Amino acid sequence: MDHFKELSQRAENKCELCGSTDELSVYVVPPKTGDAQEDCVLVCSECLSQIHGDAPLNPDHWRKLNDAIWSEHPAVKILAKIQLEVLNTEEWAQDLLHTMYLDDDCQNWWHQIEEHREALAKSIHVDCFG
């Protein structure tokens, strides 16, 4: 389901992570399916390419997450936390993680993400050759 119009209004046509207006698109925060607008974040092309690993991680770009961690929208907060966890070797990212607050709904979503990651890590793919 495409939530671009609603998310653009919510985000005032800016990336909800960094504030950029360049090439915005909808990103579904895992492990959600994107059926609801509340599961999605409007992101710019630079954020999206780094989230997907198509571009090298630029820690300086993510310093703008300081505002995103206080968003009133759970999907934005969760995606900000995911990126801060990726950047956890950066001292400023650790500081933001320590100041971040997740309400009960966000905590539940975060636990779903951790369970999803654990399940993926445990899954072993075996082909016909063993």
Side-chain angles (χ1 to χ4, degrees), residues 3-4 6-22 24-27 29 37-45 47 51 61-62 64-77 79-80:
H3 300 291
F4 186 82
E6 295 89 1
L7 290 173
S8 293
Q9 290 174 343
R10 175 178 93 183
E12 299 175 349
N13 294 312
K14 297 177 188 171
C15 175
E16 294 183 277
L17 298 177
C18 75
S20 173
T21 58
D22 295 335
L24 300 172
S25 59
V26 176
Y27 179 79
V29 181
Q37 171 192 331
E38 294 79 23
D39 301 342
C40 304
V41 177
L42 193 66
V43 296
C44 68
S45 59
C47 286
I51 289 168
H61 176 78
W62 296 104
K64 300 167 189 166
L65 290 176
N66 186 49
D67 293 332
I69 66 170
W70 301 110
S71 174
E72 64 186 68
H73 306 289
V76 176
K77 289 177 80 165
L79 188 52

Side-chain angles (χ1 to χ4, degrees), residues 80-97:
K81 182 170 174 61
I82 290 170
Q83 287 310 112
L84 288 171
E85 292 283 341
V86 169
L87 295 159
N88 70 2
T89 58
E90 301 287 329
E91 188 174 328
W92 61 265
Q94 292 173 16
D95 291 342
L96 285 179
L97 281 167

Side-chain angles (χ1 to χ4, degrees), residues 71-130:
S71 174
E72 64 186 68
H73 306 289
V76 176
K77 289 177 80 165
I78 293 296
L79 188 52
K81 182 170 174 61
I82 290 170
Q83 287 310 112
L84 288 171
E85 292 283 341
V86 169
L87 295 159
N88 70 2
T89 58
E90 301 287 329
E91 188 174 328
W92 61 265
Q94 292 173 16
D95 291 342
L96 285 179
L97 281 167
H98 290 301
T99 62
M100 190 172 191
Y101 170 77
L102 297 179
D103 62 19
D104 289 342
D105 289 339
C106 287
Q107 285 284 356
N108 290 336
W109 193 341
W110 185 252
H111 291 303
Q112 289 175 4
I113 290 170
E114 289 177 328
E115 290 171 359
H116 181 72
R117 286 180 179 167
E118 288 174 13
L120 287 175
K122 289 179 182 177
S123 67
I124 299 173
H125 299 283
V126 179
D127 64 12
C128 63
F129 300 105

